[in-house]
Amino acid sequence: MASILRTGKLLRYFAGFTRNVVVNSVRENETSSLVNNAPCMCGGFQHGFATNAAAKAELSLDKQIRRLDQDVRRIGRISRRDLEEVLDEIRTHRTATSSQSLLVIRCCGNLVPEEQPEVRTALVQEIWKTLNALNVPMDISHYNALLRVYLENEHGFAPTDFLAEIEAKGIEPNRVTYQRLIARYCQQGDIEGATRILEFMRAKSLPVNENVFNSLILGHSQANDLQSAKGILSVMKQAGLEPSADTYTTLLCAFARHGDLTALKETLAECEQKEIILLDKDLLDVVYTLTINGHGEQVDEVLAKLRLSPGFNQDAVNVILRLVNKGHEDVGLKLLRVMPRTSRVNGEPVDVGAFFIRQMVKANRPVEKILNICKTLQDEGLNPKALTIATEAGLTNGVVNNALPLLQEMKNAGLPIRQHYFWPLICSVESNQVLDIVRRMQQEFAVFPNSETIRDYVIPNLKEKNWERIVTALRDAGVPNSTAVTSAVYSALVTHKIADAAKIMEQNKAYYVPFLFRQPLILALSHTNDYASFIRCVRQIHDGLQVKQGKDEEAEQGAEGAAAVPNERTTPDVVGAIVQEATTYFRRDRVVTLEKILKGLVKQGLSISSAKATQLSEQLGSELTPRISELLGKLSSGELEPVPLPNSGKRSLESLSIDELERFIVNVEAKGDNANNIKRQLLNACFRSQNLEKTLQVIEKLDTEKFQIPIGIHAQLIDLYTHHRRSAEALETYGKLKAKDAAFKLDNLKAVRLADLLLQEEREAEAYKVLEDNKKDAPISETEGSFNYVSTVWRILNSLAEAGQAEKLRKLHDALVAANYIMPTNVLLGPLIKVHLVKDDIPRAIEAFEEICKKHKSTPWKNELACRLIQKEDAANLQRLTDLSTGIHGEVNSLYDLVFSFVECGRVRQARKILETPGLRTRPQRINSACDRYKNEGLLQPLEGLIEATKDLGHIDRNKIYYTLLLSYDKANEAEKALGLWTKMQEEAVTPNDAFLLKLADILNKNNLEVPFVVPETQKEAAKAKKNKPKDQAKSEQAKIPEQAPKEKLPPKKEPQTKAEAAPKTISALSGFRKAILANDPDTAIEYKNKFISGDKVNALDISRLIELLVRADRLTEASKYVDELLAGNQHPQLKIFKFYLNKIAAAGDLETLERIGKQLNEEQKRLVSFDNRYCHANIVAGKAEQFLQKLTAEIEAVKTPEEAAKQAGKFPRGGAVGILDKHPELVPQYQNLAEKYAAHNQLGPMNVLWMHLISSNQEAASKQIWDKYLSSAPRLMFQRVLQTAREQQDEKLASMVISQLRDSKISEGAIGNAYSCLIDIQTTKGNHDKALDVVANAIKDVSLENINRTALLRLKQAVEEKSQKFPYTIPEKRAKANDDSSSSSSSSSSDDDVSPSIPETVPHKPDSKV
């Protein structure tokens, strides 16, 4: 009781604050997303060590910090190594912006769960010390971030000392500072200290939020006073605050700390009763607190409460990492078992627990414990590679002493030992022990080093400078000669020893993979300018292609080098490729460099293809000189001739005015020439000017001259009369036109405009007669479906809707649809809903909406209708509306629409509940589009609601919402609210970016308000400061380390410009646009583009680059705008960028945008960008796969001729169809019906896809039935995907099934040989060498040995000979590949490529990047 009374004393501090209370629920945990289980040693491990051994590309500080931010958003954590790299970068460049330093400080707490709190604290203190030493400007937000990190790491510090230090530096603490100081006192259980801080806050009239109360609950718990802790809830209510999920989580953790399971259960029940939703991460906090306080046996009941909502796995990973650090891996294992497992395409669950094993190794847990956990994970099927992962962790963490025993344990367990396991050993031992590791690889583990191992790890660590001795030493260590030679050459080139490389190449004839050596060769030339050696190297690469590829040198060449360039060796023009890459790389002095290279090649007698010469001349453009042209001519047998593009400078007839055309006609006729064409242009010019009187004069004059006026001119005259609202003359001319040609019809735009004029004059019968007389047999074409036409129709319909004339509107709309004037769209259907809403007739509006949904599959005015229903609290009709929308747009899109409707109506709680829906996929582009719309419409309340609704939802990037709200506050002149956003972001641990701070500083300066933070420098200011800084000043700054950080900067005063400080030279909008594109700054680029004047001509490539930047930033709405702009001008984005854009649109399920784009592409363009596959993928994402199949069925049913069937088959999305069958097996019957309709027209592609799906799914009987009925006689088949599946799953039965069905088909021997090769590979990999030999014996009964994959035979031969047995076949020599037209196995045409490439299509290869 005394405790409660003592707590009651605190009420006086809160009661007076009631008017200042900030009601928000700050969730202190970090972002979360579904965990991506990391692959084991075969995946990321090898790349990690490659960066240590090879030359590592330096990342700028900006890029590294951006990467940290992306990791936090994506997986909710970062590594200590990442932070240390950022710290090194800051020390190297001796600078960091205020925003960068803030983010780095913030990252040293719970965002690094792999490290112990003491390590994290030491790291943040080192960072803080460095920032102070470099005079990086810091404000109160930095100190608040440091406080937060100290709290998360439970670091001991004195709050009063901290407060004194801040005030000594002239920085004013804000409410966040005091809240966190209170939290520190409460961590220590010091309620009296917390009370003193509360007195400070009260004296300064600072508002209090629930964070303070949560801290007090913690404080009482730490003081072993649980009764007072619970009493805080009533104090909160008396202060006008309702306890939130955060508050209850803090209370639950208090009970957990003391093992009071009864109180914990009661509190959980109370939360359920009060509908307080505890997130999974809240319950995980309780589990963690129970465990580390010795109550781990009681966690099961809390684990049972978990909802496993989206983001759970990521939160669970972070908690498990912290538990392992505390030595509680048993509870961590329990939690791991609870985590949902994702499945592969074949239905098998994905391995889990890799992070768990790595953390145990890193935390130096006992080896016995590690092996026990590994065995448990393997026995329970959670991770069969557990031992491999433990070995990897031992290597990557530098525990080299344990590496070989673990590798030996792996070998004893029958696990494969791969050569990249030895890379860290090679990097860690002394140089004189490197070759010993190479020998042990071969002798003890039977692992033979390949080119990558030798060139990237062995040679750099030998520390030997003599290349001949290096090659000799490698040979002595058992490395094959060709591997030793090619690796030495590569290493010499990478270190720019081009002369040594040429010497080695000339002394040792070998096959040098062109793609692998091209970039280091060019880089070596750029560093040495040794053109003679460069030409010698090119000659050796060229000659190497002539070496028989069947020699051992090819097999010994680097595995990754050979695999990376399957087509390179078939291309004879390797010299041309090297020259072209050199042309691209040498931008400075390109002409001089190229002349020297070409001269050398001519002297060497080498040649390039005519096509490559043409490409080079186009690439050079204005830099092409006569000398280079002559050299290219010699190298390409003289077939190259540059084609100039002279500009005649003549004006077209369309650009001449009416007066100019009339004078032109007089001059032409005076010469006795025919001027009829010019007279037609004169008529067109009159109509363009919309000058009725002049037009009538010209027509009358031409009539008197007996000029044959085209009938279309009369149609244009009708439209001109309509424009001038002269309906009588328009109808009179219309009558004359019909009298001349009864079959003539006005185009849609002219007919609709005339009908609209007649309707406005209440001449309804005549209006509908005009529409009926001019109706079309088919729907509107693409050209008539222009924005101008559609907007005209909409304005007509909308005017009737606003007048509330429902019947008149319905009649006109139906007439336009029936006569094929319009295709019903959301825009044109909107007035049919609006007409009822203007009269507030909700029932009629809902009926109209439902009718439109069923008839036209559209949802016009859905948001407005939803808002009306929300305001009227009509739950039944709202559910009806959502169900109708779901049937058309899918559940996810419909739920997001409902979120925005709730937000717009101020119902934030309901919006948040939807966003917390388990399984709801994130749609960032939907949120971004909504933010932009609210900003453009000047709506503040929805943006404020969106911030509240998304609070603590880690999968949503809230920076965009905050920035948009800031812009809206600026527009509304609400500077105080703008400043409040900055404070709110600190409370919610959202780090503002530079753009936000710059804009906020601008707003505050405009309103004469103090800027309470350090304003980041813009790129221009930083560059200017760097340029103007004297050298001696820079040196002195480096030499001294100030004792104290500078005080807060004041806004700079404007001083009058002197002559010496003249204004910088302005650049044109076009130049600025291109510079912004190069700087990856889309916002600035758009600003410049909006300033273009008529003379600025921007090409499609520039716009394409802007589109790429917008797509990479997930700003798809803006990107779509510029795509539409290009397409409207009969252009399209650069092909790779266009594909990249369409991939993103498809992945977002944005069918409406894809359909709009599809209407503007011809069939060839669609084929080039794989449009049909992407459209299919979008339907899958949007949940409309079934409707898509129905559409395909309707299209093939409408086919009448074989030509039409072939055209439909050419458009069939085979790659997309595979996706439908994999993800929706329930649609197989419907798809089979579709495939049968194609087969009826002798088009077997769709049936082939069905066969692949069935056979890959082990449905042998069904696949055999389709094979026998449709495919057994087909000359060409797709089956590569099936073989790929068989290889991945090591499924010998699947490969055998394919062979049994292919054996009696009409496809080529080469294709059947591929299937046999697959089965041979599977048996060899499994160690079934005898079975593999049996497969070869059976194969040569059906195909010749030459048609079996040579690599498969070589691999089998090696395995057989290792067992001291004789390989009974002679492997044929490798033949050079010709243009193969085999009936094969390509799984799809070029239009069937994957719609989600693993590597972005627009990322260019840098000359200095490693392959």
Side-chain angles (χ1 to χ4, degrees):
M1 180 60 71
S3 304
I4 291 289
L5 290 175
R6 188 170 73 249
T7 305
K9 294 177 183 178
L10 296 174
L11 183 58
R12 71 175 185 273
Y13 298 115
F14 302 119
F17 290 174
T18 304
R19 57 187 173 84
N20 291 327
V21 165
V22 178
V23 183
N24 65 359
S25 172
V26 182
R27 312 303 294 264
E28 292 289 341
N29 293 329
E30 301 305 323
T31 58
S32 59
S33 61
L34 289 174
V35 66
N36 293 321
N37 292 311
C40 67
M41 300 174 81
C42 306
F45 172 48
Q46 53 183 309
H47 296 294
F49 278 101
T51 57
N52 288 337
K56 183 178 176 182
E58 288 189 5
L59 291 173
S60 69
L61 182 58
D62 267 340
K63 286 183 179 177
Q64 291 197 49
I65 288 182
R66 198 179 308 124
R67 187 184 65 192
L68 289 183
D69 189 44
Q70 289 169 352
D71 285 347
V72 170
R73 296 184 192 284
R74 185 170 58 88
I75 59 175
R77 63 182 177 277
I78 53 180
S79 71
R80 174 186 171 185
R81 179 180 172 184
D82 290 336
L83 275 175
E84 288 175 339
E85 285 179 356
V86 172
L87 181 57
D88 288 342
E89 189 77 16
I90 291 172
R91 285 170 169 165
T92 300
H93 294 286
R94 301 191 60 79
T95 183
T97 67
S98 178
S99 300
Q100 290 168 343
S101 58
L102 180 60
L103 182 61
V104 175
I105 294 166
R106 178 66 199 91
C107 287
C108 297
N110 285 339
L111 293 177
V112 195
E114 297 176 7
E115 301 297 338
Q116 298 284 357
E118 299 80 14
V119 175
R120 302 190 313 229
T121 301
L123 183 58
V124 77
Q125 288 174 339
E126 185 66 23
I127 290 170
W128 188 265
K129 179 181 175 183
T130 300
L131 296 175
N132 274 312
L134 295 176
N135 266 350
V136 174
M138 290 187 281
D139 54 47
I140 190 59
S141 60
H142 294 76
Y143 284 90
N144 289 342
L146 181 63
L147 274 174
R148 181 185 174 96
V149 171
Y150 280 169
L151 290 172
E152 290 178 353
N153 296 341
E154 297 184 8
H155 171 62
F157 69 95
T160 51
D161 294 345
F162 194 93
L163 194 59
E165 180 185 347
I166 293 176
E167 292 176 341
K169 292 190 176 183
I171 297 175
E172 183 68 27
N174 61 12
R175 71 167 184 261
V176 179
T177 314
Y178 291 118
Q179 288 169 10
R180 291 179 181 170
L181 292 175
I182 290 171
R184 174 55 193 158
Y185 275 121
C186 291
Q187 270 188 345
Q188 300 170 298
D190 186 353
I191 297 297
E192 297 302 327
T195 305
R196 288 198 299 273
I197 299 293
L198 279 170
E199 289 173 351
F200 275 130
M201 295 184 72
R202 183 186 182 193
K204 292 176 177 287
S205 298
L206 291 174
V208 173
N209 67 4
E210 69 171 297
N211 288 344
V212 173
F213 294 99
N214 295 347
S215 297
L216 290 172
I217 292 174
L218 170 65
H220 285 302
S221 168
Q222 292 289 71
N224 299 319
D225 188 354
L226 290 182
Q227 190 176 10
S228 295
K230 190 168 185 180
I232 292 293
L233 298 184
S234 59
V235 177
M236 284 183 71
K237 293 175 183 176
Q238 292 176 53
L241 281 175
E242 196 64 33
S244 70
D246 274 333
T247 307
Y248 279 99
T249 302
T250 308
L251 185 59
L252 287 167
C253 287
F255 294 139
R257 191 172 289 107
H258 295 276
D260 190 345
L261 199 61
T262 304
L264 196 149
K265 289 179 184 177
E266 290 173 356
T267 307
L268 284 173
E270 184 181 343
C271 289
E272 290 179 9
Q273 181 185 352
K274 293 184 177 180
E275 294 187 354
I276 301 293
I277 299 175
L278 294 176
L279 301 179
D280 285 337
K281 58 184 174 183
D282 299 331
L283 296 174
L284 288 174
D285 282 344
V286 178
V287 169
Y288 177 78
T289 307
L290 275 171
T291 305
I292 65 171
N293 285 282
H295 311 297
E297 70 283 353
Q298 298 179 350
V299 301
D300 292 337
E301 294 192 38
V302 181
L303 292 178
K305 298 280 185 182
L306 293 169
R307 295 190 298 165
L308 307 184
S309 55
F312 168 76
N313 279 9
Q314 204 51 64
D315 293 327
V317 168
N318 292 336
V319 171
I320 291 171
L321 293 173
R322 293 166 64 196
L323 286 171
V324 171
N325 282 341
K326 296 287 187 180
H328 297 286
E329 51 273 340
D330 293 334
V331 176
L333 183 59
K334 284 184 180 181
L335 198 48
L336 182 67
R337 289 175 176 137
V338 174
M339 290 167 59
R341 296 175 70 182
T342 55
S343 299
R344 298 188 179 92
V345 177
N346 60 9
E348 292 182 1
V350 172
D351 298 340
V352 296
F355 71 94
F356 186 23
I357 301 166
R358 293 190 184 104
Q359 188 65 11
M360 284 194 296
V361 174
K362 184 175 181 179
N364 285 324
R365 302 299 297 150
V367 176
E368 297 77 13
K369 194 70 177 177
I370 295 172
L371 292 175
N372 184 42
I373 293 288
C374 289
K375 187 176 186 306
T376 302
L377 294 177
Q378 290 172 332
D379 293 346
E380 294 182 7
L382 293 173
N383 198 322
K385 299 175 183 176
L387 180 58
T388 306
I389 295 167
T391 307
E392 171 196 353
L395 293 168
T396 54
N397 285 285
V399 191
V400 180
N401 293 335
N402 296 331
L404 287 176
L406 283 169
L407 283 172
Q408 196 63 49
E409 188 71 26
M410 284 179 59
K411 184 181 178 184
N412 296 340
L415 294 172
I417 306 297
R418 309 187 191 283
Q419 57 187 294
H420 62 262
Y421 297 2
F422 296 89
W423 293 350
L425 294 176
I426 294 169
C427 293
S428 62
V429 298
E430 297 295 329
S431 59
N432 58 357
Q433 297 175 304
V434 170
L435 292 177
D436 184 54
I437 296 292
V438 173
R439 292 188 185 93
R440 294 183 69 177
M441 283 175 65
Q442 301 170 82
Q443 296 166 3
E444 297 179 18
F445 297 96
V447 176
F448 301 96
N450 63 8
S451 289
E452 186 177 10
T453 300
I454 300 300
R455 70 170 183 256
D456 289 344
Y457 300 94
V458 175
I459 293 177
N461 285 286
L462 282 176
K463 312 300 183 188
E464 176 60 64
K465 303 299 181 184
N466 186 299
W467 295 104
E468 290 183 6
R469 283 204 290 267
I470 288 174
V471 173
T472 302
L474 289 172
R475 288 175 185 152
D476 294 343
V479 178
N481 181 64
S482 70
T483 303
V485 169
T486 54
S487 299
V489 170
Y490 184 91
S491 298
L493 290 175
V494 166
T495 53
H496 313 313
K497 302 293 191 296
I498 191 170
D500 292 336
K503 183 179 178 182
I504 299 169
M505 294 173 85
E506 288 170 344
Q507 291 175 348
N508 302 272
K509 302 298 180 183
Y511 172 65
Y512 302 95
V513 180
F515 185 83
L516 187 65
F517 284 84
R518 204 159 61 205
Q519 291 176 356
L521 177 59
I522 291 168
L523 278 174
L525 174 63
S526 72
H527 278 79
T528 62
N529 289 325
D530 187 349
Y531 291 92
S533 298
F534 176 82
I535 298 299
R536 288 161 61 197
C537 291
V538 174
R539 177 61 186 267
Q540 292 304 318
I541 292 173
H542 173 269
D543 291 350
L545 289 174
Q546 311 306 316
V547 178
K548 291 286 186 180
Q549 295 187 8
K551 291 184 179 180
D552 292 339
E553 283 83 352
E554 180 197 357
E556 294 160 358
Q557 184 69 25
E560 82 304 323
V565 285
N567 299 319
E568 181 76 18
R569 287 193 294 272
T570 67
T571 305
D573 194 12
V574 63
V575 179
I578 293 174
V579 174
Q580 187 173 31
E581 186 143 347
T583 305
T584 303
Y585 180 77
F586 290 102
R587 295 186 179 180
R588 292 183 180 178
D589 302 325
R590 180 184 295 179
V591 173
V592 175
T593 302
L594 193 56
E595 280 189 10
K596 291 179 180 178
I597 291 174
L598 296 180
K599 282 180 188 175
L601 294 176
V602 170
K603 286 181 183 178
Q604 282 288 330
L606 301 177
S607 62
I608 64 175
S609 68
S610 178
K612 190 65 71 176
T614 304
Q615 291 174 18
L616 284 165
S617 65
E618 291 174 351
Q619 186 175 351
L620 288 168
S622 61
E623 294 179 283
L624 183 66
T625 65
R627 180 59 177 154
I628 291 178
S629 176
E630 178 189 346
L631 291 169
L632 287 173
K634 288 181 181 179
L635 288 168
S636 59
S637 305
E639 294 180 7
L640 176 66
E641 268 187 37
V643 180
L645 300 172
N647 183 8
S648 65
K650 294 181 180 179
R651 291 178 64 189
S652 64
L653 288 176
E654 290 84 356
S655 66
L656 298 179
S657 66
I658 294 174
D659 292 339
E660 288 172 329
L661 285 167
E662 287 179 329
R663 288 197 299 272
F664 196 9
I665 291 171
V666 171
N667 292 335
V668 170
E669 289 181 339
K671 295 177 183 178
D673 294 335
N674 189 324
N676 285 347
N677 183 44
I678 307 172
K679 290 176 180 178
R680 280 191 287 272
Q681 291 295 339
L682 175 61
L683 284 170
N684 289 335
C686 290
F687 286 118
R688 281 200 303 270
S689 70
Q690 295 186 334
N691 187 332
L692 181 58
E693 292 181 8
K694 183 64 178 179
T695 303
L696 292 174
Q697 288 175 10
V698 171
I699 291 175
E700 185 179 352
K701 181 182 178 185
L702 293 177
D703 268 336
T704 59
E705 295 174 358
K706 306 299 182 184
F707 174 75
Q708 188 66 35
I709 297 178
I711 195 168
I713 294 296
H714 295 289
Q716 287 181 273
L717 184 58
I718 293 169
D719 197 45
L720 190 56
Y721 278 129
T722 304
H723 174 75
H724 290 278
R725 307 188 65 79
R726 293 168 65 168
S727 59
E729 290 91 334
L731 285 176
E732 182 183 348
T733 308
Y734 178 66
K736 290 178 182 178
L737 182 60
K738 280 292 188 182
K740 286 185 180 180
D741 184 357
F744 184 85
K745 292 182 179 180
L746 295 174
D747 67 47
N748 287 352
L749 183 58
K750 295 181 180 65
V752 167
R753 280 177 175 167
L754 179 55
D756 177 40
L757 177 61
L758 295 171
L759 285 172
Q760 290 178 35
E761 297 177 353
E762 301 295 334
R763 300 164 70 175
E764 194 171 316
E766 291 170 291
Y768 284 108
K769 185 176 186 307
V770 168
L771 292 176
E772 181 64 26
D773 289 348
N774 294 281
K775 71 178 182 180
K776 304 297 187 291
D777 297 328
I780 56 172
S781 67
E782 290 179 13
T783 53
E784 289 182 330
S786 66
F787 176 78
N788 183 33
Y789 171 65
V790 173
S791 62
T792 301
V793 175
W794 177 82
R795 284 195 297 271
I796 295 168
L797 298 175
N798 188 60
S799 63
L800 293 174
E802 289 182 342
Q805 300 177 355
E807 295 304 321
K808 206 171 184 179
L809 172 62
R810 168 64 71 178
K811 182 178 178 181
L812 177 58
H813 181 272
D814 291 347
L816 291 172
V817 172
N820 287 322
Y821 281 96
I822 58 173
M823 291 285 287
T825 63
N826 266 345
V827 173
L828 297 179
L829 291 167
L832 297 179
I833 307 297
K834 183 178 181 179
V835 71
H836 300 298
L837 291 183
V838 295
K839 298 186 290 186
D840 203 28
D841 190 349
I842 299 297
R844 292 285 301 279
I846 288 289
E847 288 174 11
F849 184 83
E850 185 169 6
E851 181 186 347
I852 290 169
C853 287
K854 291 178 179 177
K855 188 175 181 181
H856 300 297
K857 299 295 182 185
S858 294
T859 55
W861 274 56
K862 180 179 68 174
N863 186 54
E864 290 79 359
L865 197 50
C867 288
R868 291 285 184 95
L869 295 172
I870 291 169
Q871 289 162 359
K872 292 181 179 291
E873 298 188 354
D874 189 345
N877 275 326
L878 186 61
Q879 184 62 54
R880 183 179 170 192
L881 182 80
T882 305
D883 291 342
L884 291 168
S885 172
T886 301
I888 297 169
H889 301 297
E891 184 179 23
V892 175
N893 284 325
S894 298
L895 287 176
Y896 268 96
D897 289 335
L898 194 55
V899 166
F900 300 136
S901 298
F902 275 126
V903 166
E904 288 166 30
C905 295
R907 309 295 177 91
V908 175
R909 185 178 179 187
Q910 289 88 336
R912 183 176 178 80
K913 280 187 176 180
I914 296 173
L915 290 172
E916 289 176 340
T917 302
L920 180 64
R921 294 181 62 184
T922 307
R923 288 280 194 272
Q925 67 273 17
R926 293 298 313 274
I927 294 175
N928 292 347
S929 299
C931 288
D932 292 338
R933 177 166 61 87
Y934 296 146
K935 182 191 73 175
N936 295 335
E937 295 175 8
L939 300 175
L940 295 174
Q941 179 264 328
L943 282 168
E944 292 167 341
L946 203 52
I947 281 182
E948 293 301 321
T950 57
K951 186 183 298 178
D952 193 40
L953 299 181
H955 56 282
I956 294 175
D957 181 5
R958 302 173 71 217
N959 265 309
K960 167 71 176 177
I961 310 174
Y962 271 110
Y963 186 65
T964 309
L965 182 54
L966 180 70
L967 295 178
S968 300
Y969 281 148
D970 182 30
K971 191 175 179 182
N973 200 26
E974 295 277 7
E976 293 288 350
K977 287 187 177 180
L979 180 57
L981 274 184
W982 178 69
T983 307
K984 187 176 181 65
M985 291 175 82
Q986 290 179 65
E987 287 183 331
E988 299 183 11
V990 178
T991 304
N993 53 32
D994 283 0
F996 182 95
L997 294 174
L998 285 167
K999 185 62 183 176
L1000 178 55
D1002 180 54
I1003 294 169
L1004 296 175
N1005 285 328
K1006 280 193 302 186
N1007 289 274
N1008 296 318
L1009 295 173
E1010 183 183 356
V1011 179
F1013 52 83
V1014 177
V1015 181
E1017 279 187 329
T1018 62
Q1019 289 183 353
K1020 289 182 180 179
E1021 288 171 344
K1024 186 176 179 181
K1026 186 175 180 180
K1027 184 177 179 181
N1028 294 335
K1029 180 185 283 190
K1031 291 183 180 179
D1032 56 346
Q1033 180 186 341
K1035 289 179 182 177
S1036 66
E1037 285 184 4
Q1038 289 178 7
K1040 66 178 182 178
I1041 298 178
E1043 296 177 2
Q1044 192 172 344
K1047 292 186 180 181
E1048 191 174 327
K1049 291 183 180 178
L1050 294 173
K1053 296 180 181 178
K1054 292 185 178 179
E1055 297 182 2
Q1057 256 186 351
T1058 63
K1059 290 183 180 179
E1061 296 171 323
K1065 184 179 178 182
T1066 58
I1067 59 173
S1068 68
L1070 183 58
S1071 176
F1073 172 79
R1074 286 176 174 157
K1075 285 183 179 179
I1077 291 294
L1078 289 174
N1080 295 333
D1081 187 352
D1083 293 314
T1084 304
I1086 291 170
E1087 287 180 16
Y1088 275 116
K1089 188 178 184 303
N1090 293 335
K1091 297 175 184 175
F1092 281 0
I1093 57 177
S1094 58
D1096 289 331
K1097 292 185 179 178
V1098 60
N1099 57 38
L1101 182 59
D1102 289 330
I1103 298 296
S1104 297
R1105 288 169 177 161
L1106 174 58
I1107 291 167
E1108 179 184 3
L1109 292 179
L1110 292 170
V1111 173
R1112 289 191 182 284
D1114 279 331
R1115 295 163 63 175
L1116 296 182
T1117 304
E1118 295 169 89
S1120 298
K1121 170 187 170 185
Y1122 294 110
V1123 171
D1124 289 338
E1125 183 180 296
L1126 283 178
L1127 295 176
N1130 291 324
Q1131 296 178 300
H1132 61 73
Q1134 189 182 24
L1135 199 59
K1136 287 183 178 180
I1137 294 173
F1138 201 10
K1139 287 182 179 181
F1140 183 46
Y1141 162 77
L1142 291 173
N1143 278 346
K1144 286 283 192 177
I1145 293 294
D1150 191 348
L1151 290 172
E1152 186 177 343
T1153 299
L1154 277 177
E1155 287 166 356
R1156 186 177 73 248
I1157 290 171
K1159 291 177 182 177
Q1160 302 177 75
L1161 301 177
N1162 58 37
E1163 295 303 321
E1164 176 62 17
Q1165 290 170 330
K1166 286 183 177 180
R1167 186 188 68 78
L1168 288 173
V1169 297
S1170 307
F1171 182 83
D1172 297 303
N1173 266 306
R1174 289 170 165 86
Y1175 184 66
C1176 177
H1177 181 60
N1179 275 277
I1180 297 172
V1181 174
K1184 302 178 73 172
E1186 185 174 2
Q1187 294 92 319
F1188 181 70
L1189 290 181
Q1190 291 170 356
K1191 176 177 175 288
L1192 292 178
T1193 304
E1195 288 175 353
I1196 192 63
E1197 286 175 346
V1199 162
K1200 294 184 174 59
T1201 65
E1203 291 77 14
E1204 290 178 350
K1207 184 178 178 182
Q1208 282 300 121
K1211 296 195 301 180
F1212 186 84
R1214 286 174 282 178
V1218 171
I1220 290 178
L1221 295 174
D1222 286 345
K1223 295 179 181 177
H1224 297 282
E1226 73 278 3
L1227 296 179
V1228 168
Q1230 185 175 337
Y1231 180 86
Q1232 184 167 354
N1233 177 50
L1234 169 66
E1236 287 170 352
K1237 293 184 185 296
Y1238 271 94
H1241 293 281
N1242 202 29
Q1243 300 297 333
L1244 300 177
M1247 193 62 75
N1248 196 158
V1249 171
L1250 178 59
W1251 173 76
M1252 286 197 299
H1253 171 74
L1254 293 173
I1255 199 169
S1256 297
S1257 306
N1258 288 318
Q1259 300 182 49
E1260 185 173 5
S1263 69
K1264 188 70 169 68
Q1265 184 179 357
I1266 287 177
W1267 173 267
D1268 293 339
K1269 186 173 181 180
Y1270 297 103
L1271 304 178
S1272 58
S1273 301
R1276 184 176 178 84
L1277 288 168
M1278 301 178 292
F1279 59 86
Q1280 199 73 340
R1281 288 179 188 264
V1282 184
L1283 297 184
Q1284 183 181 350
T1285 302
R1287 274 195 171 93
E1288 290 173 353
Q1289 301 177 5
Q1290 294 293 294
D1291 191 341
E1292 57 189 274
K1293 181 183 177 184
L1294 177 57
S1296 300
M1297 274 196 291
V1298 175
I1299 292 170
S1300 67
Q1301 297 189 20
L1302 292 180
R1303 185 181 290 137
D1304 300 324
S1305 68
K1306 292 184 178 181
I1307 66 172
S1308 68
E1309 281 194 13
I1312 298 174
N1314 278 342
Y1316 274 114
S1317 302
C1318 173
L1319 184 54
I1320 292 168
D1321 272 337
I1322 291 171
Q1323 297 290 16
T1324 304
T1325 303
K1326 286 185 171 183
N1328 302 332
H1329 306 136
D1330 293 336
K1331 289 185 179 180
L1333 288 171
D1334 291 341
V1335 175
V1336 177
N1338 291 327
I1340 58 178
K1341 296 176 185 176
D1342 296 323
V1343 299
S1344 63
L1345 202 60
E1346 286 80 1
N1347 287 312
I1348 298 177
N1349 186 288
R1350 190 167 176 274
T1351 306
L1353 293 174
L1354 286 170
R1355 194 178 292 118
L1356 176 58
K1357 179 183 177 182
Q1358 181 181 351
V1360 169
E1361 290 177 348
E1362 282 177 358
K1363 289 194 168 186
S1364 302
Q1365 298 176 8
K1366 185 178 179 182
F1367 186 68
Y1369 302 99
T1370 301
I1371 299 176
E1373 292 187 354
K1374 186 147 187 174
R1375 298 171 297 174
K1377 293 183 181 178
N1379 292 332
D1380 188 13
D1381 60 351
S1382 116
S1383 31
S1384 139
S1385 44
S1386 161
S1387 66
S1388 62
S1389 68
S1390 61
S1391 64
D1392 295 326
D1393 58 352
D1394 292 336
V1395 294
S1396 299
S1398 58
I1399 301 174
E1401 299 176 82
T1402 56
V1403 177
H1405 290 292
K1406 297 180 181 177
D1408 58 340
S1409 63
K1410 264 191 60 180
V1411 179

